Amino acid sequence: MSEPKVTAIITTFNAAHYIAETLHTITSQSLQALQIIIVDDASTDNTVAILREHCATDERVTILVNEENRGAGYSRNRAFPLATGEFVIFLDDDDLCANDMLEQAYGHAVSAGADVVVFRSDNLDSLTQQRTPAAWTIQAESLPLSRTFTAFETRGNFFRTFIWWAWDKLIRRDLILRSGLQFQEIRTSNDLFFVCALLLQAGAISVCDATLISHRDNRAGSLSNTRELSYDCSLQAIRALYHHLNEQPVYQPLHRDFLNYSIDFLSWSLSTLKHWPAYSDFYRQIRTFYQQIPPVPAAEIESEYLEACYQDLSCGDPETTLMKLKCRLEQDLRHHMTCGAEQRQQRLVLQQQLTEAERAVSEQAEQVAQNHRMAAEIERLQQQAAGQQLHVSELQALNEQYQQERAQRPTTIAGKLCSLLGGRRK
């Protein structure tokens, strides 16, 4: 095998229903100079058998199997020392990659001289198979005009510029080696600290403005759908990033951005919990975190909304905070119900237009039927004329009458539909 340009590290766990499709999108990449390292996290289904069958003859693939379930963070850390590619990408077992994903990302990295290339993605609904754009994963308004940039050069809050997962980022392997960073070995959010801290150190970040990967939503068993089992992982990631920033004075200019991001992110994480024991315990952990760090001045907080969230999280109680969240959700619901009423009105108008179109179709069908009956009558009379010497003038008169009546009939369905559509445009 030639020296790989990219190493793809994939972690799997109980992925038998979809791993073959994921593997196909990786092994069939147009970039052939590729190393693939797969770490199965002690699956209890036949994921490993599928991996071995699918990759048996592909010398680019190495398969590792954990003796016990340790999580994606551990699995990625285990695989990385085996990576030899110039760049590395960390993928999930349910990601679907465009055929030229790595070729495009690698080509962009080389031409731009980038340490990290971030590319666009979309979401694939596992239930409906519908794809939806995910433009929110890259905040375009925060990007500098230059092709490459550093964390200090973003025009908005750096920590909101990207989402801190790993699978939409191609990272220079040497940057990871020099940083000494590893993934946190936690159940969820294990990539937040690692990816964000890496981009903080990157000398050249670049964005490839092409959608190159699809991420599955609404998948049964997805860790993002079982947040109740690991609700404190997001706080562990935020806490690690906070200490990382404070240990290095060079990051002081980004401290305000981070604190605002942390309030926003932890408020969202708290709002995703559905059961009171998890909610109240996580709330108290967040409150302890903010009480242990220096108070955040109001002038440092970006908005009144975040200021209210900070007050709730730092010196409130879980009951009051939950009630305030309920009120905010009710306001959002009323807003969406209003939007829903407008949409229902639009649907009503369209339904009326559809009814008119259907009526026009029915009228046109009746006209066609009448024309057929008239034509049949003429044919019958023609046959009768041949047999009974019917006077030609009577036949011509009947035919002229038919032609006149046909010309005077209402417009065709095409004309009526054009009229309706014309009315809609107005």
Side-chain angles (χ1 to χ4, degrees):
M1 183 178 70
S2 60
E3 196 68 23
K5 296 176 180 177
V6 173
T7 296
I9 294 175
I10 310 170
T11 56
T12 64
F13 177 70
N14 286 353
H17 291 299
Y18 47 84
I19 189 60
E21 185 179 13
T22 297
L23 285 176
H24 176 73
T25 69
I26 289 296
T27 56
S28 62
Q29 285 288 302
S30 58
L31 181 74
Q32 289 296 302
L34 174 63
Q35 177 191 28
I36 303 170
I37 304 174
I38 305 171
V39 185
D40 181 77
D41 197 20
S43 291
T44 56
D45 62 5
N46 63 331
T47 296
V48 175
I50 295 172
L51 292 173
R52 287 173 174 160
E53 178 183 2
H54 191 95
C55 305
T57 60
D58 195 333
E59 65 177 4
R60 301 172 301 170
V61 181
T62 299
I63 299 174
L64 307 175
V65 180
N66 294 339
E67 293 183 0
E68 59 180 343
N69 185 260
R70 300 287 297 270
Y74 169 86
S75 299
R76 289 165 169 172
N77 292 336
R78 181 185 178 191
F80 179 72
L82 302 179
T84 59
E86 184 182 355
F87 286 83
V88 179
I89 188 168
F90 298 91
L91 299 170
D92 292 342
D93 56 16
D94 56 357
D95 293 329
L96 298 177
C97 309
N99 178 258
D100 61 346
M101 177 186 78
L102 295 179
E103 183 177 11
Q104 280 210 53
Y106 178 80
H108 186 101
V110 171
S111 64
D115 294 320
V116 180
V117 173
V118 187
F119 45 86
R120 295 197 176 276
S121 61
D122 60 23
N123 293 329
L124 174 64
D125 192 303
S126 296
L127 301 178
T128 65
Q129 296 303 303
Q130 297 273 327
R131 274 188 168 85
T132 55
W136 48 271
T137 62
I138 299 176
Q139 297 299 313
E141 64 275 10
S142 288
L143 301 178
L145 298 179
S146 56
R147 193 178 186 196
T148 61
F149 55 91
T150 68
F152 301 92
E153 295 169 334
T154 53
R155 295 188 291 178
N157 186 320
F158 165 74
F159 299 94
R160 292 203 192 96
T161 302
F162 306 112
I163 303 298
W164 303 116
W165 47 45
W167 44 263
D168 62 352
K169 299 170 182 72
L170 187 70
I171 305 169
R172 192 178 294 275
R173 182 168 64 96
D174 185 59
L175 173 63
I176 302 175
L177 291 172
R178 286 186 284 108
S179 73
L181 293 167
Q182 288 192 318
F183 286 89
Q184 289 182 286
E185 295 184 12
I186 52 181
R187 187 172 186 272
T188 59
S189 302
N190 63 78
D191 43 4
L192 188 157
F193 166 72
F194 175 84
V195 175
C196 188
L198 268 180
L199 266 71
L200 284 168
Q201 297 185 32
I205 305 167
S206 190
V207 171
C208 176
D209 196 24
T211 300
L212 301 179
I213 192 168
S214 297
H215 189 70
R216 295 181 193 265
D217 283 340
N218 292 327
R219 178 175 64 77
S222 170
L223 291 181
S224 61
N225 291 333
T226 57
R227 196 176 297 275
E228 302 282 334
L229 302 177
S230 53
Y231 52 83
D232 61 336
C233 290
S234 57
L235 178 58
Q236 291 185 53
I238 288 295
R239 192 186 297 275
L241 196 51
Y242 173 81
H243 290 305
H244 181 74
L245 291 170
N246 277 290
E247 288 168 359
Q248 303 184 55
V250 67
Y251 295 133
Q252 183 58 37
L254 298 174
H255 193 70
R256 175 182 179 274
D257 283 356
F258 169 76
L259 289 173
N260 280 274
Y261 167 75
S262 74
I263 297 167
D264 202 2
F265 179 65
L266 292 176
S267 295
W268 170 80
S269 297
L270 183 65
S271 71
T272 64
L273 301 182
K274 302 174 183 177
H275 303 291
W276 174 250
Y279 183 95
S280 58
D281 181 61
F282 188 41
Y283 170 84
R284 290 186 175 91
Q285 291 187 40
I286 296 172
R287 183 176 62 188
T288 298
F289 167 69
Y290 282 117
Q291 290 178 347
Q292 288 175 341
I293 68 175
V296 183
E300 295 290 302
I301 300 180
E302 294 171 347
S303 67
E304 292 182 2
Y305 169 78
L306 286 181
E307 166 65 12
C309 289
Y310 173 69
Q311 292 300 324
D312 291 339
L313 295 176
S314 62
C315 54
D317 59 78
E319 293 81 6
T320 303
T321 301
L322 181 61
M323 186 58 64
K324 290 181 178 180
L325 173 63
K326 174 179 176 290
C327 292
R328 285 198 295 269
L329 291 175
E330 287 175 343
Q331 291 175 353
D332 290 344
L333 180 60
R334 283 194 293 270
H335 171 71
H336 289 302
M337 287 180 65
T338 302
C339 293
E342 294 174 355
Q343 292 170 351
R344 285 193 296 273
Q345 181 61 32
Q346 291 176 356
R347 285 197 297 270
L348 181 60
V349 172
L350 290 175
Q351 184 61 49
Q352 291 172 343
Q353 292 175 338
L354 177 60
T355 301
E356 293 176 8
E358 290 173 342
R359 185 182 301 115
V361 169
S362 178
E363 292 173 358
Q364 181 68 12
E366 178 59 28
Q367 291 172 23
V368 171
Q370 289 178 5
N371 288 344
H372 286 166
R373 287 194 294 269
M374 182 71 76
E377 179 65 13
I378 291 174
E379 183 179 1
R380 185 188 66 79
L381 289 174
Q382 286 174 334
Q383 292 174 352
Q384 183 178 353
Q388 300 180 5
Q389 301 296 316
L390 185 66
H391 199 279
V392 174
S393 62
E394 293 178 355
L395 187 59
Q396 289 176 336
L398 182 60
N399 187 51
E400 289 174 0
Q401 179 185 353
Y402 162 69
Q403 295 295 339
Q404 290 174 358
E405 290 181 2
R406 183 179 181 184
Q408 292 172 358
R409 291 186 185 280
T411 56
T412 63
I413 179 57
K416 285 208 169 187
L417 288 177
C418 287
S419 175
L420 284 171
L421 291 172
R424 283 186 64 185
R425 292 191 184 98
K426 293 177 183 178

